[in-house]
């Protein structure tokens, strides 16, 4: 488990135009896992998908904390919203121009791949956080949740909760206009956990719309995009209910989308008896589990991703070894834990009280 890290104080903040960047200058006052106090400052860029989702806000805070400990000059930038590739490309170009030693990025889509290649060709070490690019070797390494496992955990939990009843499923994904690994891995993992056969592992929505899950029969009512936002989740759920009012299982790409979906279900008078599951493990999401809005969520650890990323680039810049992927995977696995107040035999989980001690945001 990784403790929640509170908001840290930046020594200096400087607003930069175009993508709303911030520069955090850190003096080497301590010795971290990957750096040595007093070493020359290393410049690193952190580029998140957006700066509004608590997941990415927490990631930024984790990176700033590590930057202060590691004597790293950190520039923080973000897309204007999920899917904004243009702002991320500009931030990569800026990092190259500044002469940064490395980039940490949660890529908004394949449109950033060429810019990442340009950065690596210029000698920058590039680490993807949370979202592995496609192909994975676009970056030097990825530090991320096993998103397929995260989806699989909530899928297995859902199947047991149904007790053999027919499942009418709404799949509230991230996008419908671009392919992003975090999107298809969570969706496909959820279906696999339910015991539903999938077709293309890198594509959402091509599985059989009816058939059998591990406990009974299923119908997939819809695949709708949410853009990972509460308003997107609400709109997606409204669209799904218009297609099939009998939905009793709702998978959501993240917790903001889950909250939006719940509000749509409430407005339609259908919140009772519907299982809503998600991925994130933020503090608000864990509270939603406690309150019964979300039945189960898979908790991931953005603070750890960012801290390890900053430490790794600082270490490499100072002549240290490069990080290695987790055995059997093509990325470094930062862990995932199922959070639910309705535990199931055979599925490891923690309750919402324990989840509140390890949440973020």
């Amino acid at each position: 488990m990784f403790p929640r890290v509170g908001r840290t104080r930046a020594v200096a903040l400087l607003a930069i135009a175009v993508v709303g960047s911030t520069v955090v200058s850190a003096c080497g006052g301590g010795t971290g896992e990957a750096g040595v106090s007093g070493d020359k400052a290393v410049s690193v860029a952190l580029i998140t998908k957006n700066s509004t989702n608590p997941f990415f806000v927490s990631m930024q805070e984790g990176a700033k904390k590590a930057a202060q400990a590691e004597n790293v000059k950190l520039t923080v930038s973000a897309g204007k919203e999920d899917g904004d590739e243009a702002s991320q490309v500009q931030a990569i170009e800026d990092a190259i121009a500044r002469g940064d030693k490395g980039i940490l990025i949660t890529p908004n889509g394949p449109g950033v791949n060429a810019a990442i290649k340009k950065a690596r060709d210029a000698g920058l070490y590039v680490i993807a956080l949370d979202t592995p690019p496609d192909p994975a070797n676009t970056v030097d390494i990825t530090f991320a949740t096993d998103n397929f496992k995260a989806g699989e955990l909530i899928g297995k939990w859902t199947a047991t909760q149904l007790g053999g009843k027919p499942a009418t499923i709404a799949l509230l994904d991230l996008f419908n206009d671009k392919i992003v690994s975090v999107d298809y891995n969570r969706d496909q993992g959820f279906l696999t956990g339910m015991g539903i056969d999938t077709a293309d592992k890198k594509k959402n929505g091509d599985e059989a719309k009816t058939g059998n899950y591990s406990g009974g029969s299923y119908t997939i009512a819809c695949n709708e995009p949410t853009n990972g936002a509460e308003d997107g989740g609400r709109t997606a759920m409204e669209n799904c209910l218009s297609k099939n009012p009998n939905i009793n299982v709702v998978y959501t790409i993240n917790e903001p989308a889950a909250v939006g979906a719940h509000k749509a279900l409430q407005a339609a008078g259908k919140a009772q008896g519907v299982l809503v599951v998600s991925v994130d493990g933020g503090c608000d999401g864990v509270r939603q589990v406690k309150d019964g809005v979300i039945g189960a969520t898979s908790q991931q650890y953005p603070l750890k991703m960012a801290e390890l990323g900053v430490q790794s680039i600082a270490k490499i810049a100072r002549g240290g070894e490069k990080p290695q992927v987790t055995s059997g995977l093509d990325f470094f696995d930062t862990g995932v834990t199922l959070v639910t107040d309705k535990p199931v035999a055979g599925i490891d989980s923690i309750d919402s009280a324990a989840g509140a001690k390890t949440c973020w945001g």
Side-chain angles (χ1 to χ4, degrees), residues 237 247-250 265 270-276 292-293:
M237 192 70 245
I247 290 166
N248 61 351
V249 173
V250 180
L265 288 164
K270 295 183 177 294
Q272 296 298 318
V274 178
L275 291 173
V276 179
V293 172

Side-chain angles (χ1 to χ4, degrees), residues 93-285:
E93 295 281 358
D94 292 344
I96 297 170
R98 283 192 303 270
D100 288 351
K101 295 297 183 182
I103 293 172
L104 309 172
I105 184 169
T106 58
N108 261 328
V112 304
N113 286 7
I116 289 173
K117 182 180 184 303
K118 182 177 178 181
R120 292 179 68 189
D121 288 346
L124 282 73
Y125 192 85
V126 182
I127 300 175
L129 304 179
D130 176 58
T131 305
D134 190 5
N137 63 5
T138 300
V139 294
D140 288 285
I141 195 171
T142 296
F143 292 163
T145 306
D146 186 336
N147 282 297
F148 187 90
K149 181 179 179 181
E152 189 175 27
L153 284 170
I154 55 175
K156 287 181 177 179
W157 180 88
T158 300
T160 66
Q161 295 300 305
L162 288 167
K165 293 187 299 186
T168 304
I169 305 168
L171 297 169
L172 305 193
D173 295 315
L174 188 57
F175 301 124
N176 64 355
D177 60 348
K178 59 173 62 71
I179 297 173
V180 180
S181 60
V182 67
D183 196 6
Y184 61 71
N185 278 328
R186 292 182 185 182
D187 178 294
Q188 302 288 292
F190 170 77
L191 292 172
T192 299
M194 283 282 292
I196 297 172
D197 291 335
T198 59
D200 187 339
K201 296 292 186 183
K202 294 186 176 182
K203 183 178 180 181
N204 290 339
D206 64 349
E207 61 281 333
K209 300 307 177 189
T210 59
N212 292 312
Y213 73 97
S214 59
S217 63
Y218 78 86
T219 299
I220 293 178
C222 59
N223 284 80
E224 288 286 331
T226 66
N227 291 314
E230 182 178 323
D231 57 349
R234 182 163 188 161
T235 299
M237 192 70 245
E238 290 169 347
N239 291 339
C240 288
L241 288 171
S242 71
K243 295 175 182 178
N244 191 324
N246 299 316
I247 290 166
N248 61 351
V249 173
V250 180
Y251 153 84
T252 61
I253 180 69
N254 64 9
E255 291 159 358
V259 171
H262 178 73
K263 289 182 177 179
L265 288 164
Q266 279 186 315
K270 295 183 177 294
Q272 296 298 318
V274 178
L275 291 173
V276 179
V277 293
S278 196
V279 177
D280 261 356
C283 293
D284 186 61

